[in-house]
Amino acid sequence: MMEKPDYYRPKGRIYLYPDAPPGGRSPFTQGTFWDLESEGITPTLGMRLPFYADDGNDKGELDYLLFTGVIGQDDNGRWFAVIDEGSFCHESDLATDPST
């Protein structure tokens, strides 16, 4: 079993690599399960979750891709998410409150 790394991730977001075509199933990875555990979330069919994936900006700097999706499970018990195609944005696109 892989050891869980200590790393930054957007607060409240769950890792998911968005590799499926629109409407397709993006499978959960070990990182997805680690983040679910860290957030105290037990996956449930039909649950909508906020996800993130590694990405970068035009300067090559880390700028997480953020999106939402609905989770499901196939006939073999493997978890996946169907991504809401209109939900994609980058972490840098979110407005920052200067008072925080």
Side-chain angles (χ1 to χ4, degrees):
M1 176 148 180
M2 296 175 54
E3 183 176 325
K4 183 178 176 181
D6 182 25
Y7 58 92
Y8 165 80
R9 67 182 169 85
K11 183 173 173 53
R13 296 242 172 209
I14 307 301
Y15 179 80
L16 182 73
Y17 183 73
D19 65 345
R25 298 173 172 184
S26 293
F28 282 16
T29 65
Q30 183 63 58
T32 308
F33 289 110
W34 283 333
D35 288 353
L36 287 167
E37 180 182 355
S38 292
E39 291 292 326
I41 297 171
T42 300
T44 305
L45 294 175
M47 179 183 283
R48 181 174 304 281
L49 289 174
F51 294 104
Y52 77 96
D54 299 327
D55 202 11
N57 62 21
D58 294 339
K59 298 177 186 175
E61 301 165 330
L62 182 63
D63 192 7
Y64 286 117
L65 184 62
L66 309 177
F67 51 95
T68 59
V70 176
I71 64 173
Q73 195 173 34
D74 67 18
D75 293 337
N76 295 315
R78 292 182 293 247
W79 290 97
F80 63 86
V82 177
I83 297 168
D84 301 332
E85 290 300 315
S87 68
F88 287 102
C89 72
H90 281 96
E91 188 174 38
S92 64
D93 296 333
L94 302 178
T96 306
D97 182 352
S99 67
T100 58

